[in-house]
Amino acid sequence: MATPLNVGLVGGGKGAFIVHAHEKAIHVDGTRRVVAGALYPEPKVALEEAAAWPYPIRGYGSYDDMIAANAALPAEERLDYILIVTPNHVHYDPAMKAMKAGIAVFCEKPLCLTLKEASALVKTSRKLGVPFAVAHTYLGHWTTRFSRFIVQRGLLGDVRWVDSSYIQGWLATKLEATGQQQATWRVDPKRAGGSGCGGDIGTHALMQLRYVTGLDVTDVSAQMETFVEGRPLDDHFTVYCRLSNGGRALVRASQICIGFKNELGIDVAGTKGTLRWKQEEPERLTIHLPNQPDRVYWRGAVTPGDGFLPKDVPAELLAEPTIPSGHPEGFHDAFARLHRDFERDVRAWKAGKPFKGDPAKYAQVEDGWVGIAFLETCLKSSVKKGAWTAMPRPI
Ligand SMILES: NC(=O)c1ccc[n+]([C@@H]2O[C@H](COP(=O)([O-])OP(=O)(O)OC[C@H]3O[C@@H](n4cnc5c(N)ncnc54)[C@H](O)[C@@H]3O)[C@@H](O)[C@H]2O)c1
């Protein structure tokens, strides 16, 4: 039996949010485990938080200490990858340092703060060949992967229109004024970056669009707006896009729509049919075909050659090593699929195989770069009242 991979956390102490979903996903297969953490910016608190972790982990006062200590550890205790779950301004530095120390990186989105940083991360990852994943959670749903197959196999014909959105309501009031941890840094340009809502959840909507359709955004006309008075970053983000195949798309996100929770969804309209999916009902997707009843597909209940699907649906989309359909999978399972696929790449790399990430499995560092390029292009367009603005050439 293979020894579990060792994961080190960067961030995750004192009221942190997303670390806990990752932590469950890391442990779900028994082949990965959290063994260390630099959980907080202040060293004393970081050590206290590590000592209070629900099971024993090695605590460090800083991620610098954690990375520096790694090489001197016995081989079986060394970190195989770090998970970066800090606010956006603390992504670049630990990611870069870990890669240079020969540690693979699983980094939260958005990748970093600027395109300059993103380019440096891509170049370093390519030069050193270190595995790098970006945590675009929703690529880990079976339905998202199945959608990708349907659209890219051409079953909907040519893609004409995509509406990819992520709508929330939790920042409809000035929550940051109460000191709420997750709100406070998300509205601070120094810690969140040049875009608030766009960076936080618009990047997920963009990633869904690119992953499912395989198309790139070539030009944007963006409106980045702030409804809550005194907030320095956008809380409402609407981007009309030209796509690389000549189609059009709307990438939209909002945090001020009261009652909306995590309404991420994608509609893809092609010349033969339309696909619709919503993350709040993640286990099913609907296909609309002209003059036919709707088709609804569920994980684990797919029949190749059913009159819409071809006979050669890939085996990995048919047989899922998880729970039977009808026992609902959700957010944690999506994270688990990403960590599971990343584990395979890290193990192969450790065994001496050059790392070549598969964008069908999880978002690559290049996808993180596109997210940052998109935000910077939207910012340029938005200050020019939505003037069409071209995306930079891919890196
Ligand atoms: N993929 C997703 O679905 C998803 C969901 C939520 C958040 N996120 C992303 O995850 C990241 C964290 O978001 P969150 O909501 O969990 O934030 P959070 O505020 O809940 O947690 C951030 C953690 O980082 C720690 N931290 C800050 N600076 C640090 C430093 N220098 N060294 C060590 N630890 C440090 C904080 O103390 C805290 O423990 C963000 O980049 C966010 O965009 C992604």
Side-chain angles (χ1 to χ4, degrees):
M1 189 187 240
T3 315
L5 292 189
N6 292 331
V7 182
L9 303 177
V10 179
K14 268 210 165 172
F17 162 44
I18 205 61
V19 66
H20 299 294
H22 280 284
E23 194 272 343
K24 289 176 182 66
I26 286 167
H27 287 266
V28 75
D29 298 312
T31 56
R32 308 171 289 273
R33 62 187 174 191
V34 173
V35 297
L39 304 177
Y40 201 76
E42 291 163 35
K44 186 171 169 293
V45 182
L47 294 172
E48 286 165 6
E49 289 289 298
W53 199 253
Y55 46 86
I57 59 171
R58 286 193 311 276
Y60 292 94
S62 69
Y63 62 77
D64 279 323
D65 288 354
M66 184 167 80
I67 292 168
N70 197 52
L73 290 171
E76 67 280 6
E77 289 178 30
R78 266 178 233 149
L79 299 178
D80 296 300
Y81 66 99
I82 60 160
L83 172 69
I84 302 177
V85 282
T86 41
N88 310 345
H89 69 303
V90 191
H91 290 182
Y92 172 79
D93 193 49
M96 193 57 111
K97 286 175 172 159
M99 283 195 284
K100 288 182 178 168
I103 307 169
V105 176
F106 199 121
C107 183
E108 262 302 345
K109 46 47 63 180
L111 178 61
C112 51
L113 296 190
T114 64
L115 198 56
K116 198 171 160 210
E117 286 180 353
S119 299
L121 289 172
V122 170
K123 283 178 191 154
T124 304
S125 134
R126 286 179 182 166
K127 186 168 149 215
L128 302 177
V130 179
F132 200 119
V134 183
H136 279 291
T137 316
Y138 310 100
L139 309 192
H141 286 289
W142 175 85
T143 32
T144 301
R145 295 180 176 203
F146 196 56
S147 299
R148 177 179 165 100
F149 168 72
I150 287 172
V151 175
Q152 297 196 22
R153 191 63 184 266
L155 304 184
L156 301 179
D158 296 331
V159 173
R160 288 170 164 163
W161 168 248
V162 185
D163 185 354
S164 192
S165 58
Y166 197 154
I167 310 297
Q168 299 178 328
W170 71 296
L171 291 177
T173 59
K174 208 167 182 188
L175 186 61
E176 59 271 31
T178 68
Q180 204 269 5
Q181 177 174 328
Q182 283 73 30
T184 313
W185 67 257
R186 277 176 170 82
V187 302
D188 173 4
K190 288 203 183 74
R191 290 181 283 174
S195 166
C197 177
D200 200 34
I201 55 175
T203 48
H204 278 308
L206 173 74
M207 192 65 230
Q208 288 299 115
L209 180 159
R210 295 183 51 249
Y211 179 84
V212 169
T213 66
L215 299 171
D216 286 318
V217 170
T218 59
D219 306 83
V220 306
S221 166
Q223 302 284 345
M224 297 167 69
E225 290 151 318
T226 308
F227 280 87
V228 173
E229 214 174 306
R231 187 172 277 167
L233 291 175
D234 52 294
D235 49 27
H236 193 72
F237 176 85
T238 311
V239 187
Y240 198 60
C241 305
R242 292 181 182 139
L243 299 177
S244 47
N245 72 339
R248 297 288 183 266
L250 200 50
V251 171
R252 57 198 175 95
S254 184
Q255 292 168 321
I256 50 95
C257 296
I258 291 170
F260 285 73
K261 294 166 184 71
N262 280 287
E263 204 162 308
L264 173 85
I266 185 164
D267 301 337
V268 181
T271 46
K272 294 185 189 165
T274 296
L275 175 148
R276 307 193 75 187
W277 180 75
K278 283 202 183 305
Q279 147 353 95
E280 289 182 351
E281 295 170 19
E283 285 273 79
R284 64 188 186 133
L285 67 87
T286 306
I287 302 291
H288 304 288
L289 299 172
N291 308 315
Q292 289 189 33
D294 295 344
R295 286 170 185 266
V296 179
Y297 288 105
W298 294 78
R299 176 183 56 81
V302 169
T303 311
D306 64 357
F308 174 66
L309 296 173
K311 291 212 169 86
D312 59 343
V313 176
E316 67 193 48
L317 290 173
L318 296 174
E320 273 286 313
T322 55
I323 42 178
S325 55
H327 294 305
E329 275 196 3
F331 192 62
H332 296 123
D333 304 278
F335 269 119
R337 240 182 229 100
L338 305 184
H339 280 280
R340 199 172 290 138
D341 285 332
F342 191 58
E343 175 185 342
R344 277 190 206 108
D345 286 349
V346 172
R347 285 192 187 278
W349 171 67
K350 281 184 61 179
K353 241 179 124 185
F355 168 66
K356 192 172 174 338
D358 177 356
K361 299 297 184 194
Y362 51 85
Q364 308 291 306
V365 65
E366 287 84 357
D367 293 310
W369 182 94
V370 174
I372 302 298
F374 179 70
L375 294 174
E376 290 203 354
T377 311
C378 289
L379 280 161
K380 283 184 198 153
S381 166
S382 189
V383 293
K384 289 187 264 159
K385 297 188 166 52
W388 280 106
T389 308
M391 284 276 285
R393 288 160 65 89
I395 189 163

